[in-house]
Amino acid sequence: MSASMSEKKPSGETADLALDTDLGWAIRMVSSAFRRVATESVADLPGGARAYLVLVALAGGEPPSQLALAKTVSLDRTVMTYLLDDLEAHGLVTRRPDPRDRRARLVLITDTGRARLDQVRHSLAAAEARLLTDLHDHDAHQLRTLLSRVAQTAQRDSIAPDEADC
C-alpha cells in the first residue's frame, strides 16, 4: 500500500472538514453580519444594542430588579447601572423602589421607551430580513427557534454555581 493511500481519509471525513459546514465559521459569519446590521438599526438608541436588549426584556412582563435584569441580558451590574442612567435620562425607563425589598430597585419601561422600541424593532426587522433573504419563512422561524434554544443553554451554562443560588 502506498503512503498516499494510507493517508487518505474516507470521503465522509473530508466533507466534515469543509469550511462551509463548520459551525464555528458559520456562527462567526452570521454574528459579524448581524452585528453590522443590528448596530446600524440601534445606532440612535442611547446605549445601542445593550439598550435594545434591556428594552426588549422590560417590555415582556413584570418589572425586574436591576440585578435580575442585568442577569437576564448578561450584563455586569455596574454596566447596567450606567446604561439605566442613560436610558432614564432619555425618558425610556424609570426606576422605583421595590415594595417587597426597599434595597432593590425595579426597572420599568416608559411609554416613550415602548415607542422607541417599536421604531427600533421595525428597523431591525428589515435588517434581519435582508440577512435571512435566502431562507423561506418557515426556515427563518426554525432558525430563530433553534438559535434561541442554543442561546438559552449557553446562558444557563455561563452562570457560575454561586450565582445560580441567588
Side-chain angles (χ1 to χ4, degrees):
M1 185 183 258
S2 71
S4 63
M5 288 289 285
S6 63
E7 292 175 5
K8 275 190 168 180
K9 295 180 180 174
S11 62
E13 285 184 40
T14 304
D16 289 346
L17 295 176
L19 192 59
D20 64 349
T21 60
D22 185 82
L23 180 63
W25 176 82
I27 289 173
R28 183 169 185 258
M29 295 305 294
V30 171
S31 177
S32 293
F34 183 78
R35 190 174 301 116
R36 276 191 309 277
V37 299
T39 299
E40 293 169 13
S41 298
V42 299
D44 292 336
L45 197 59
R50 289 176 172 171
Y52 171 76
L53 294 176
V54 165
L55 294 177
V56 168
L58 293 175
E62 290 296 313
S65 69
Q66 281 186 211
L67 183 57
L69 181 59
K71 287 181 180 182
T72 298
V73 297
S74 298
L75 281 179
D76 177 81
R77 62 184 176 187
T78 304
V79 172
M80 178 60 74
T81 300
Y82 290 119
L83 179 58
L84 291 176
D85 288 346
D86 285 347
L87 292 173
E88 197 166 32
H90 284 85
L92 304 177
V93 302
T94 187
R95 292 177 276 194
R96 69 171 189 227
D98 185 340
R100 296 166 299 210
D101 180 358
R102 291 266 182 208
R103 297 168 297 170
R105 302 196 49 184
L106 298 178
V107 184
L108 298 94
I109 188 170
T110 64
D111 290 341
T112 302
R114 285 187 192 283
R116 285 291 297 279
L117 177 59
D118 286 344
Q119 292 169 350
V120 171
R121 280 191 129 156
H122 181 73
S123 175
L124 190 55
E128 289 174 1
R130 286 193 313 270
L131 186 61
L132 301 175
T133 195
D134 289 337
L135 299 180
H136 295 287
D137 289 345
H138 172 76
D139 292 337
H141 176 75
Q142 187 174 15
L143 176 65
R144 289 173 191 275
T145 300
L146 294 173
L147 282 175
S148 179
R149 286 172 45 196
V150 171
Q152 289 169 7
T153 299
Q155 184 180 38
R156 183 180 62 243
D157 290 349
S158 71
I159 297 173
D162 57 331
E163 292 178 17
D165 296 335
C166 294

